[in-house]
Each structure stands twice: as structure tokens, then as C-alpha cells.
Amino acid sequence: MSTACVLVAAGSGTRLAAGSPKAFVVLDGRPLLVHAVERVLRAGVCDQLVLVVPDGRQQESTALVSGLPGAGGVVLRAVAGGVDRRSSVAAGLAALGDDVDVVLVHDAARCLTPPEQVLEVERAVRAGAPAVVPGVAVTDTVRAVAARAGGAAGPVDRASLRLVQTPQGFRRDVLEQAHGAAAEHGLPQALAATDDASLVELLGTPVTVVPGREEAFKVTRPLDLALASAVLAQEGAL
Ligand code: C5P
């Protein structure tokens, strides 16, 4: 039995417009990828770590993180990502060792995710939940502007909503089955499967939501980098 983390870091970062793939954008002197890996390692639950990076940057990526505290006992691999997040996760899954039975899928873009969140998600899967996601409450007022199949335009009750973060934790067989089915049959048109739990749910597997954390926000737009920098400064002052 062992736990692996598939860290997807192969996105282009178009919305960040920082001139390099998002995971390699530098925040306080270190690429986002390094910040993300450092926190995953601090959780101390991963025996394997698969970095999914833009093709050609595999060697550079392992070199960037192999000296981090806690990396010594972890099997580290880097593979090339795909055209979208889903194919990048699939590439990471294909690189897992045989003994892995729990997989955490984490976005490098959520580079300041506290180690405790990684730990709690892993624990919840080990405790028996087949699929676990961290979620945070919505504070804005929410309105649907286009009717979807079965839905209507208009206000949405935010109390029933959660913003879903990563890492998302899965029993390996459940996650592999979900990715296999999505690759074979495609996805329903109404489903924007921007995460792995959505794929798993399509096969009827229940998804457990555990409390997420604000610090696990995704760096997507330039303002997010300013926020990340402020969070790091606050950490440093503690
Ligand atoms: O695009 P978005 O911000 O939703 O991406 C979430 C995560 O998925 C990021 O860490 C990004 O690097 C990763 N990703 C990837 N391969 C892609 C697209 C996104 O690994 N083709």
C-alpha cells in the first residue's frame, strides 16, 4: 500500500500572461511548481510523486525539487502533459508504480495549499472514502446566466455550493476506471469536467467533500500572484 501524488503542472498559463508556463512562473524567487511540491512533501504522506510538466521540461523539473526537504524517500518521476488537464492527469496515472493504491491529484497552480489539507484528504481516502475533494463555501452572490439542461437562469442558493480545490484523493482503481471510461466514451456535453471528481461521479461513485482552505486558491490571473506573494510574506512574518 502506498500513496502517490500526481501533480499537474503542464498548463500554459495563458490567463496569467507571465511569459512562461504557469508552473515555472517565479514567486518570491522560486517557481510555483517548487512551492507546490514543498508543501506536498511537508504533508509526509506521499511515497511517490509524479510531476506532469510541459514536454521537454521533465529533467529540469525533477532537478528543481529533488533537493527539497522530505524528497529523499520519495520516488520522483516527471512526464510530459497533454493537451488538456484530463490528459495530463492520465499521463501521470500511467507513470504510477504498481504498489500505489491511493492517488492524490493536485494542481501545481494551487501552490500554497497547506500540507494539512494534503494530509486530511489522504486520511479520508484511507478511512474508506473512494473519492474526496476539499471544498470552501461561496461568499459571493451567485447567479446562473444561461439555462443548462435541467437548470434555469437566475439566482443560485450559495449555501448549497462549494468551490472545489485540490488535492483530490481517490482509490487508485476508481480513478483509473473513471479516466479509462472518459477516454473511451467521451463526456456528456453538459459536463464541464474540469476536475477528476466529476469524472469519478459519472460512474456513480460518491464524492466526499472535506473542508478546504482559502490558501489553496488557484493562481490563475495576475492578481492571484499578488495575493500569493502576500500570503508568503504573512507566513514569513509568523
Ligand atoms: O487551466 P487550469 O488553471 O484549470 O489548470 C489547473 C492545473 O492543471 C494547473 O496546475 C495546470 O498546470 C494543469 N494543466 C495541465 N495540463 C494541461 C492544462 C492544465 O497539467 N494541459
Side-chain angles (χ1 to χ4, degrees):
M1 282 191 343
S2 77
T3 298
C5 177
V6 171
L7 188 77
V8 284
S12 59
T14 314
R15 289 165 293 180
L16 198 56
S20 58
K22 184 157 62 179
F24 295 87
V25 170
V26 172
L27 170 68
D28 276 20
R30 301 191 305 163
L32 299 190
L33 174 75
V34 175
H35 287 285
V37 171
E38 196 220 346
R39 283 162 163 72
V40 168
L41 292 174
R42 269 177 25 209
V45 294
C46 294
D47 309 289
Q48 295 191 24
L49 177 59
V50 180
L51 308 176
V52 185
V53 296
D55 196 15
R57 303 196 78 151
Q58 293 91 318
Q59 236 184 330
E60 169 193 357
S61 302
T62 44
L64 276 170
V65 305
S66 57
L68 289 173
V74 175
V75 176
L76 191 60
R77 295 194 179 101
V79 297
V83 291
D84 54 17
R85 187 185 182 282
R86 178 158 65 93
S87 51
S88 289
V89 174
L93 289 179
L96 295 179
D98 289 342
D99 53 332
V100 171
D101 63 338
V102 170
V103 182
L104 307 180
V105 182
H106 191 31
D107 291 343
R110 297 186 185 276
C111 57
L112 301 186
T113 301
E116 294 77 17
Q117 182 153 316
V118 180
L119 183 72
E120 285 165 15
V121 169
E122 203 262 356
R123 289 260 163 87
V125 182
R126 289 267 167 228
V132 178
V133 301
V136 292
V138 177
T139 53
D140 286 313
T141 294
V142 181
R143 168 171 287 268
V145 291
R148 287 191 332 165
V156 178
D157 176 16
R158 69 182 177 200
S160 68
L161 300 178
R162 293 294 177 270
L163 299 174
V164 173
Q165 304 178 326
T166 69
Q168 300 190 348
F170 304 93
R171 263 188 14 223
R172 178 188 186 165
D173 59 328
V174 163
L175 185 60
E176 285 185 336
Q177 207 188 348
H179 272 270
E184 195 175 337
H185 307 299
L187 297 173
Q189 241 188 348
L191 183 80
T194 51
D195 74 343
D196 298 278
S198 310
L199 300 181
V200 160
E201 216 157 34
L202 278 179
L203 297 185
T205 304
V207 173
T208 302
V209 182
V210 298
R213 287 176 173 77
E214 282 183 61
E215 297 88 335
F217 67 95
K218 184 157 66 82
V219 172
T220 306
R221 291 178 284 249
L223 188 61
D224 300 323
L225 270 182
L227 177 60
S229 188
V231 171
L232 280 178
Q234 197 185 28
E235 275 182 10
L238 290 177

Short mmCIF file of all heavy atoms in Angstrom, two decimals, residues 81-145:
data_model
loop_
_atom_site.label_atom_id
_atom_site.label_comp_id
_atom_site.label_asym_id
_atom_site.label_seq_id
_atom_site.Cartn_x
_atom_site.Cartn_y
_atom_site.Cartn_z
N GLY A 81 2.94 16.41 -20.12
CA GLY A 81 1.50 16.56 -20.03
C GLY A 81 0.83 16.47 -21.39
O GLY A 81 1.49 16.26 -22.41
N GLY A 82 -0.50 16.61 -21.37
CA GLY A 82 -1.28 16.51 -22.60
C GLY A 82 -1.91 17.83 -22.98
O GLY A 82 -1.58 18.88 -22.42
N VAL A 83 -2.86 17.76 -23.90
CA VAL A 83 -3.46 18.99 -24.44
C VAL A 83 -4.44 19.63 -23.46
O VAL A 83 -4.70 20.83 -23.53
CB VAL A 83 -4.22 18.73 -25.77
CG1 VAL A 83 -3.23 18.40 -26.88
CG2 VAL A 83 -5.26 17.64 -25.61
N ASP A 84 -4.99 18.84 -22.55
CA ASP A 84 -5.87 19.42 -21.53
C ASP A 84 -5.57 18.78 -20.18
O ASP A 84 -4.76 17.84 -20.09
CB ASP A 84 -7.36 19.26 -21.90
CG ASP A 84 -7.72 17.80 -22.18
OD1 ASP A 84 -6.95 16.89 -21.79
OD2 ASP A 84 -8.78 17.56 -22.78
N ARG A 85 -6.20 19.31 -19.14
CA ARG A 85 -5.88 18.82 -17.79
C ARG A 85 -6.14 17.33 -17.67
O ARG A 85 -5.36 16.59 -17.06
CB ARG A 85 -6.69 19.61 -16.75
CG ARG A 85 -6.30 19.28 -15.31
CD ARG A 85 -7.21 20.00 -14.32
NE ARG A 85 -6.81 19.74 -12.95
CZ ARG A 85 -7.08 18.61 -12.30
NH1 ARG A 85 -7.77 17.65 -12.89
NH2 ARG A 85 -6.66 18.44 -11.05
N ARG A 86 -7.24 16.89 -18.25
CA ARG A 86 -7.60 15.47 -18.12
C ARG A 86 -6.52 14.57 -18.71
O ARG A 86 -6.12 13.57 -18.10
CB ARG A 86 -8.94 15.21 -18.81
CG ARG A 86 -9.37 13.77 -18.76
CD ARG A 86 -10.87 13.64 -18.94
NE ARG A 86 -11.31 14.09 -20.26
CZ ARG A 86 -11.46 13.27 -21.31
NH1 ARG A 86 -11.19 12.00 -21.21
NH2 ARG A 86 -11.91 13.74 -22.45
N SER A 87 -6.01 14.92 -19.87
CA SER A 87 -4.97 14.05 -20.47
C SER A 87 -3.66 14.18 -19.71
O SER A 87 -2.86 13.23 -19.65
CB SER A 87 -4.79 14.34 -21.96
OG SER A 87 -4.60 15.68 -22.19
N SER A 88 -3.43 15.31 -19.07
CA SER A 88 -2.24 15.43 -18.23
C SER A 88 -2.34 14.50 -17.01
O SER A 88 -1.37 13.83 -16.64
CB SER A 88 -2.03 16.88 -17.77
OG SER A 88 -1.63 17.68 -18.86
N VAL A 89 -3.52 14.46 -16.40
CA VAL A 89 -3.69 13.54 -15.26
C VAL A 89 -3.52 12.10 -15.73
O VAL A 89 -2.83 11.30 -15.07
CB VAL A 89 -5.08 13.73 -14.59
CG1 VAL A 89 -5.31 12.68 -13.50
CG2 VAL A 89 -5.21 15.13 -14.00
N ALA A 90 -4.07 11.77 -16.89
CA ALA A 90 -3.95 10.41 -17.42
C ALA A 90 -2.48 10.05 -17.64
O ALA A 90 -2.05 8.93 -17.33
CB ALA A 90 -4.74 10.27 -18.71
N ALA A 91 -1.69 11.00 -18.11
CA ALA A 91 -0.25 10.74 -18.31
C ALA A 91 0.42 10.47 -16.98
O ALA A 91 1.29 9.59 -16.87
CB ALA A 91 0.39 11.93 -19.02
N GLY A 92 0.01 11.19 -15.95
CA GLY A 92 0.56 10.96 -14.61
C GLY A 92 0.17 9.60 -14.07
O GLY A 92 1.00 8.88 -13.49
N LEU A 93 -1.08 9.21 -14.28
CA LEU A 93 -1.55 7.90 -13.78
C LEU A 93 -0.77 6.77 -14.44
O LEU A 93 -0.46 5.76 -13.80
CB LEU A 93 -3.05 7.73 -14.09
CG LEU A 93 -4.02 8.58 -13.28
CD1 LEU A 93 -5.46 8.31 -13.72
CD2 LEU A 93 -3.87 8.28 -11.80
N ALA A 94 -0.43 6.95 -15.70
CA ALA A 94 0.29 5.90 -16.44
C ALA A 94 1.70 5.70 -15.90
O ALA A 94 2.32 4.68 -16.17
CB ALA A 94 0.32 6.25 -17.92
N ALA A 95 2.19 6.66 -15.14
CA ALA A 95 3.57 6.57 -14.63
C ALA A 95 3.64 6.05 -13.20
O ALA A 95 4.72 5.99 -12.61
CB ALA A 95 4.22 7.96 -14.71
N LEU A 96 2.49 5.67 -12.63
CA LEU A 96 2.49 5.23 -11.22
C LEU A 96 3.07 3.83 -11.07
O LEU A 96 2.88 2.96 -11.93
CB LEU A 96 1.06 5.21 -10.67
CG LEU A 96 0.33 6.54 -10.55
CD1 LEU A 96 -1.07 6.32 -10.00
CD2 LEU A 96 1.11 7.50 -9.66
N GLY A 97 3.74 3.61 -9.96
CA GLY A 97 4.25 2.28 -9.64
C GLY A 97 3.11 1.34 -9.26
O GLY A 97 2.02 1.78 -8.89
N ASP A 98 3.40 0.03 -9.33
CA ASP A 98 2.37 -0.99 -9.10
C ASP A 98 1.79 -0.98 -7.69
O ASP A 98 0.65 -1.35 -7.48
CB ASP A 98 2.98 -2.40 -9.32
CG ASP A 98 3.25 -2.63 -10.79
OD1 ASP A 98 2.66 -1.89 -11.61
OD2 ASP A 98 4.05 -3.52 -11.09
N ASP A 99 2.60 -0.59 -6.70
CA ASP A 99 2.16 -0.71 -5.32
C ASP A 99 1.24 0.42 -4.86
O ASP A 99 0.71 0.39 -3.75
CB ASP A 99 3.39 -0.77 -4.40
CG ASP A 99 4.34 0.40 -4.64
OD1 ASP A 99 4.37 0.91 -5.78
OD2 ASP A 99 5.04 0.80 -3.69
N VAL A 100 1.01 1.40 -5.71
CA VAL A 100 0.19 2.56 -5.30
C VAL A 100 -1.28 2.17 -5.24
O VAL A 100 -1.82 1.61 -6.18
CB VAL A 100 0.37 3.72 -6.32
CG1 VAL A 100 -0.63 4.84 -6.05
CG2 VAL A 100 1.79 4.23 -6.28
N ASP A 101 -1.94 2.46 -4.12
CA ASP A 101 -3.38 2.19 -4.05
C ASP A 101 -4.21 3.45 -3.77
O ASP A 101 -5.43 3.43 -3.91
CB ASP A 101 -3.69 1.11 -3.00
CG ASP A 101 -3.31 1.52 -1.60
OD1 ASP A 101 -2.45 2.41 -1.44
OD2 ASP A 101 -3.88 0.96 -0.64
N VAL A 102 -3.54 4.54 -3.39
CA VAL A 102 -4.26 5.81 -3.20
C VAL A 102 -3.53 6.89 -4.01
O VAL A 102 -2.30 6.99 -3.97
CB VAL A 102 -4.30 6.22 -1.70
CG1 VAL A 102 -4.81 7.64 -1.53
CG2 VAL A 102 -5.19 5.25 -0.92
N VAL A 103 -4.33 7.67 -4.76
CA VAL A 103 -3.74 8.72 -5.61
C VAL A 103 -4.33 10.07 -5.23
O VAL A 103 -5.55 10.23 -5.13
CB VAL A 103 -4.02 8.46 -7.11
CG1 VAL A 103 -3.35 9.52 -7.97
CG2 VAL A 103 -3.56 7.07 -7.52
N LEU A 104 -3.45 11.03 -5.01
CA LEU A 104 -3.87 12.42 -4.82
C LEU A 104 -3.56 13.16 -6.11
O LEU A 104 -2.42 13.10 -6.60
CB LEU A 104 -3.09 13.07 -3.67
CG LEU A 104 -3.07 12.34 -2.33
CD1 LEU A 104 -2.25 13.14 -1.30
CD2 LEU A 104 -4.49 12.12 -1.80
N VAL A 105 -4.53 13.83 -6.67
CA VAL A 105 -4.29 14.64 -7.87
C VAL A 105 -4.32 16.10 -7.43
O VAL A 105 -5.30 16.57 -6.84
CB VAL A 105 -5.35 14.39 -8.96
CG1 VAL A 105 -5.01 15.22 -10.21
CG2 VAL A 105 -5.44 12.91 -9.31
N HIS A 106 -3.22 16.79 -7.71
CA HIS A 106 -3.07 18.14 -7.19
C HIS A 106 -2.64 19.09 -8.32
O HIS A 106 -1.84 18.71 -9.17
CB HIS A 106 -2.01 18.11 -6.08
CG HIS A 106 -1.89 19.35 -5.27
ND1 HIS A 106 -2.95 20.20 -5.01
CD2 HIS A 106 -0.81 19.90 -4.64
CE1 HIS A 106 -2.53 21.21 -4.25
NE2 HIS A 106 -1.24 21.05 -4.03
N ASP A 107 -3.18 20.30 -8.30
CA ASP A 107 -2.80 21.33 -9.28
C ASP A 107 -1.57 22.08 -8.76
O ASP A 107 -1.62 22.65 -7.66
CB ASP A 107 -3.90 22.38 -9.43
CG ASP A 107 -5.15 21.85 -10.11
OD1 ASP A 107 -5.08 20.79 -10.76
OD2 ASP A 107 -6.20 22.52 -10.00
N ALA A 108 -0.52 22.15 -9.58
CA ALA A 108 0.64 22.97 -9.19
C ALA A 108 0.23 24.42 -9.01
O ALA A 108 0.84 25.16 -8.24
CB ALA A 108 1.73 22.85 -10.25
N ALA A 109 -0.83 24.81 -9.72
CA ALA A 109 -1.30 26.20 -9.63
C ALA A 109 -1.85 26.53 -8.23
O ALA A 109 -1.94 27.69 -7.86
CB ALA A 109 -2.36 26.44 -10.68
N ARG A 110 -2.20 25.50 -7.45
CA ARG A 110 -2.63 25.72 -6.05
C ARG A 110 -1.38 25.59 -5.19
O ARG A 110 -1.26 24.71 -4.33
CB ARG A 110 -3.71 24.71 -5.66
CG ARG A 110 -4.97 24.86 -6.49
CD ARG A 110 -6.09 23.99 -6.03
NE ARG A 110 -7.21 24.10 -6.95
CZ ARG A 110 -8.15 25.06 -6.91
NH1 ARG A 110 -8.12 25.95 -5.95
NH2 ARG A 110 -9.10 25.12 -7.80
N CYS A 111 -0.45 26.47 -5.46
CA CYS A 111 0.93 26.29 -4.98
C CYS A 111 1.11 26.55 -3.50
O CYS A 111 2.12 26.15 -2.93
CB CYS A 111 1.87 27.18 -5.80
SG CYS A 111 1.41 28.93 -5.72
N LEU A 112 0.14 27.19 -2.85
CA LEU A 112 0.29 27.47 -1.41
C LEU A 112 -0.66 26.62 -0.56
O LEU A 112 -0.95 26.96 0.59
CB LEU A 112 0.07 28.97 -1.14
CG LEU A 112 1.03 29.91 -1.90
CD1 LEU A 112 0.83 31.35 -1.46
CD2 LEU A 112 2.49 29.50 -1.70
N THR A 113 -1.11 25.52 -1.12
CA THR A 113 -2.00 24.63 -0.37
C THR A 113 -1.31 24.14 0.90
O THR A 113 -0.23 23.55 0.84
CB THR A 113 -2.37 23.41 -1.25
OG1 THR A 113 -3.01 23.89 -2.43
CG2 THR A 113 -3.27 22.44 -0.51
N PRO A 114 -1.91 24.36 2.05
CA PRO A 114 -1.26 23.93 3.30
C PRO A 114 -1.09 22.41 3.35
O PRO A 114 -1.98 21.67 2.92
CB PRO A 114 -2.25 24.40 4.37
CG PRO A 114 -3.04 25.50 3.74
CD PRO A 114 -3.16 25.11 2.30
N PRO A 115 0.05 21.93 3.88
CA PRO A 115 0.27 20.48 4.00
C PRO A 115 -0.86 19.77 4.71
O PRO A 115 -1.18 18.62 4.40
CB PRO A 115 1.57 20.40 4.81
CG PRO A 115 2.27 21.70 4.58
CD PRO A 115 1.19 22.72 4.35
N GLU A 116 -1.49 20.45 5.67
CA GLU A 116 -2.58 19.81 6.43
C GLU A 116 -3.72 19.38 5.49
O GLU A 116 -4.38 18.37 5.73
CB GLU A 116 -3.16 20.79 7.47
CG GLU A 116 -2.21 21.17 8.59
CD GLU A 116 -1.14 22.20 8.16
OE1 GLU A 116 -1.32 22.86 7.12
OE2 GLU A 116 -0.13 22.32 8.88
N GLN A 117 -3.94 20.15 4.45
CA GLN A 117 -5.02 19.80 3.52
C GLN A 117 -4.68 18.52 2.74
O GLN A 117 -5.53 17.67 2.51
CB GLN A 117 -5.26 20.96 2.54
CG GLN A 117 -6.41 20.70 1.58
CD GLN A 117 -7.08 21.98 1.11
OE1 GLN A 117 -7.33 22.87 1.91
NE2 GLN A 117 -7.37 22.08 -0.16
N VAL A 118 -3.42 18.38 2.38
CA VAL A 118 -2.96 17.18 1.68
C VAL A 118 -3.15 15.97 2.61
O VAL A 118 -3.68 14.92 2.21
CB VAL A 118 -1.47 17.32 1.29
CG1 VAL A 118 -0.97 16.07 0.57
CG2 VAL A 118 -1.25 18.57 0.43
N LEU A 119 -2.75 16.16 3.85
CA LEU A 119 -2.85 15.10 4.86
C LEU A 119 -4.30 14.68 5.08
O LEU A 119 -4.63 13.49 5.10
CB LEU A 119 -2.23 15.62 6.16
CG LEU A 119 -2.15 14.67 7.33
CD1 LEU A 119 -1.10 13.61 7.08
CD2 LEU A 119 -1.80 15.45 8.61
N GLU A 120 -5.18 15.66 5.23
CA GLU A 120 -6.58 15.35 5.54
C GLU A 120 -7.27 14.61 4.39
O GLU A 120 -8.07 13.70 4.63
CB GLU A 120 -7.34 16.65 5.86
CG GLU A 120 -7.00 17.18 7.24
CD GLU A 120 -7.44 18.62 7.46
OE1 GLU A 120 -8.26 19.13 6.67
OE2 GLU A 120 -6.94 19.24 8.42
N VAL A 121 -6.95 14.99 3.17
CA VAL A 121 -7.56 14.32 2.02
C VAL A 121 -7.07 12.87 1.97
O VAL A 121 -7.86 11.94 1.79
CB VAL A 121 -7.23 15.08 0.71
CG1 VAL A 121 -7.61 14.25 -0.51
CG2 VAL A 121 -7.95 16.43 0.69
N GLU A 122 -5.78 12.68 2.16
CA GLU A 122 -5.24 11.32 2.13
C GLU A 122 -5.86 10.46 3.22
O GLU A 122 -6.27 9.32 3.01
CB GLU A 122 -3.71 11.36 2.28
CG GLU A 122 -3.00 10.14 1.74
CD GLU A 122 -2.63 9.10 2.78
OE1 GLU A 122 -2.85 9.33 3.99
OE2 GLU A 122 -2.13 8.04 2.40
N ARG A 123 -5.96 11.04 4.43
CA ARG A 123 -6.55 10.31 5.56
C ARG A 123 -7.97 9.88 5.26
O ARG A 123 -8.39 8.78 5.61
CB ARG A 123 -6.57 11.21 6.81
CG ARG A 123 -5.21 11.46 7.41
CD ARG A 123 -4.98 10.54 8.62
NE ARG A 123 -3.56 10.48 8.96
CZ ARG A 123 -2.94 11.34 9.77
NH1 ARG A 123 -3.61 12.33 10.33
NH2 ARG A 123 -1.66 11.19 10.03
N ALA A 124 -8.74 10.77 4.64
CA ALA A 124 -10.16 10.48 4.36
C ALA A 124 -10.28 9.32 3.37
O ALA A 124 -11.18 8.48 3.50
CB ALA A 124 -10.86 11.73 3.82
N VAL A 125 -9.37 9.24 2.40
CA VAL A 125 -9.41 8.10 1.46
C VAL A 125 -9.01 6.83 2.20
O VAL A 125 -9.68 5.80 2.09
CB VAL A 125 -8.49 8.34 0.24
CG1 VAL A 125 -8.59 7.16 -0.74
CG2 VAL A 125 -8.86 9.63 -0.48
N ARG A 126 -7.96 6.93 3.00
CA ARG A 126 -7.51 5.75 3.77
C ARG A 126 -8.60 5.27 4.73
O ARG A 126 -8.67 4.09 5.07
CB ARG A 126 -6.24 6.06 4.56
CG ARG A 126 -5.01 6.24 3.70
CD ARG A 126 -4.23 4.95 3.55
NE ARG A 126 -3.23 5.08 2.49
CZ ARG A 126 -3.04 4.20 1.53
NH1 ARG A 126 -3.75 3.10 1.46
NH2 ARG A 126 -2.13 4.38 0.60
N ALA A 127 -9.44 6.21 5.18
CA ALA A 127 -10.51 5.84 6.12
C ALA A 127 -11.70 5.20 5.40
O ALA A 127 -12.66 4.81 6.05
CB ALA A 127 -10.97 7.08 6.89
N GLY A 128 -11.64 5.13 4.08
CA GLY A 128 -12.69 4.39 3.36
C GLY A 128 -13.45 5.13 2.29
O GLY A 128 -14.24 4.52 1.56
N ALA A 129 -13.26 6.45 2.16
CA ALA A 129 -13.99 7.18 1.10
C ALA A 129 -13.29 6.95 -0.24
O ALA A 129 -12.08 7.12 -0.33
CB ALA A 129 -14.02 8.67 1.43
N PRO A 130 -14.03 6.57 -1.29
CA PRO A 130 -13.36 6.28 -2.56
C PRO A 130 -12.90 7.53 -3.31
O PRO A 130 -11.98 7.48 -4.12
CB PRO A 130 -14.44 5.55 -3.37
CG PRO A 130 -15.74 5.90 -2.73
CD PRO A 130 -15.46 6.22 -1.30
N ALA A 131 -13.56 8.67 -3.02
CA ALA A 131 -13.21 9.93 -3.71
C ALA A 131 -13.44 11.08 -2.76
O ALA A 131 -14.50 11.19 -2.15
CB ALA A 131 -14.09 10.10 -4.95
N VAL A 132 -12.44 11.93 -2.61
CA VAL A 132 -12.50 13.02 -1.62
C VAL A 132 -12.04 14.32 -2.25
O VAL A 132 -10.98 14.36 -2.90
CB VAL A 132 -11.59 12.69 -0.41
CG1 VAL A 132 -11.60 13.83 0.60
CG2 VAL A 132 -12.01 11.39 0.25
N VAL A 133 -12.82 15.38 -2.07
CA VAL A 133 -12.38 16.70 -2.55
C VAL A 133 -12.47 17.71 -1.41
O VAL A 133 -13.39 17.65 -0.59
CB VAL A 133 -13.24 17.22 -3.74
CG1 VAL A 133 -13.18 16.25 -4.91
CG2 VAL A 133 -14.68 17.49 -3.35
N PRO A 134 -11.54 18.67 -1.36
CA PRO A 134 -11.70 19.78 -0.42
C PRO A 134 -12.59 20.85 -1.05
O PRO A 134 -12.47 21.12 -2.26
CB PRO A 134 -10.26 20.30 -0.23
CG PRO A 134 -9.43 19.65 -1.28
CD PRO A 134 -10.27 18.74 -2.11
N GLY A 135 -13.46 21.45 -0.25
CA GLY A 135 -14.34 22.48 -0.78
C GLY A 135 -14.47 23.63 0.20
O GLY A 135 -14.45 23.41 1.41
N VAL A 136 -14.58 24.84 -0.33
CA VAL A 136 -14.79 26.01 0.53
C VAL A 136 -16.12 26.67 0.18
O VAL A 136 -16.58 26.63 -0.97
CB VAL A 136 -13.65 27.05 0.43
CG1 VAL A 136 -12.36 26.51 1.01
CG2 VAL A 136 -13.44 27.51 -1.00
N ALA A 137 -16.73 27.29 1.18
CA ALA A 137 -18.03 27.93 0.99
C ALA A 137 -17.89 29.12 0.03
O ALA A 137 -16.83 29.72 -0.10
CB ALA A 137 -18.57 28.39 2.34
N VAL A 138 -18.99 29.44 -0.61
CA VAL A 138 -19.03 30.56 -1.56
C VAL A 138 -19.48 31.80 -0.80
O VAL A 138 -20.48 31.77 -0.08
CB VAL A 138 -20.02 30.24 -2.70
CG1 VAL A 138 -20.13 31.42 -3.66
CG2 VAL A 138 -19.59 28.99 -3.43
N THR A 139 -18.74 32.90 -0.96
CA THR A 139 -19.10 34.12 -0.22
C THR A 139 -19.82 35.14 -1.11
O THR A 139 -20.51 36.01 -0.61
CB THR A 139 -17.85 34.77 0.40
OG1 THR A 139 -16.88 34.95 -0.63
CG2 THR A 139 -17.28 33.92 1.51
N ASP A 140 -19.63 35.04 -2.42
CA ASP A 140 -20.32 35.97 -3.33
C ASP A 140 -21.76 35.52 -3.56
O ASP A 140 -22.10 34.35 -3.35
CB ASP A 140 -19.62 36.00 -4.70
CG ASP A 140 -18.31 36.77 -4.64
OD1 ASP A 140 -18.30 37.88 -4.08
OD2 ASP A 140 -17.30 36.24 -5.15
N THR A 141 -22.57 36.45 -4.02
CA THR A 141 -23.89 36.07 -4.52
C THR A 141 -23.70 35.45 -5.90
O THR A 141 -22.89 35.93 -6.69
CB THR A 141 -24.79 37.33 -4.61
OG1 THR A 141 -25.00 37.79 -3.28
CG2 THR A 141 -26.13 37.01 -5.27
N VAL A 142 -24.44 34.38 -6.17
CA VAL A 142 -24.22 33.64 -7.42
C VAL A 142 -25.49 33.65 -8.26
O VAL A 142 -26.59 33.49 -7.75
CB VAL A 142 -23.83 32.16 -7.11
CG1 VAL A 142 -23.58 31.40 -8.39
CG2 VAL A 142 -22.59 32.12 -6.23
N ARG A 143 -25.30 33.86 -9.57
CA ARG A 143 -26.43 33.88 -10.49
C ARG A 143 -26.09 33.05 -11.72
O ARG A 143 -24.99 33.21 -12.28
CB ARG A 143 -26.73 35.33 -10.89
CG ARG A 143 -27.68 35.51 -12.05
CD ARG A 143 -28.05 36.97 -12.21
NE ARG A 143 -28.96 37.39 -11.15
CZ ARG A 143 -30.29 37.35 -11.25
NH1 ARG A 143 -30.86 36.95 -12.36
NH2 ARG A 143 -31.05 37.72 -10.25
N ALA A 144 -26.97 32.17 -12.13
CA ALA A 144 -26.79 31.44 -13.39
C ALA A 144 -27.32 32.33 -14.51
O ALA A 144 -28.41 32.90 -14.40
CB ALA A 144 -27.55 30.13 -13.34
N VAL A 145 -26.51 32.48 -15.56
CA VAL A 145 -26.94 33.39 -16.64
C VAL A 145 -27.39 32.65 -17.88
O VAL A 145 -27.95 33.25 -18.79
CB VAL A 145 -25.82 34.39 -17.00
CG1 VAL A 145 -25.60 35.38 -15.87
CG2 VAL A 145 -24.52 33.67 -17.35
#
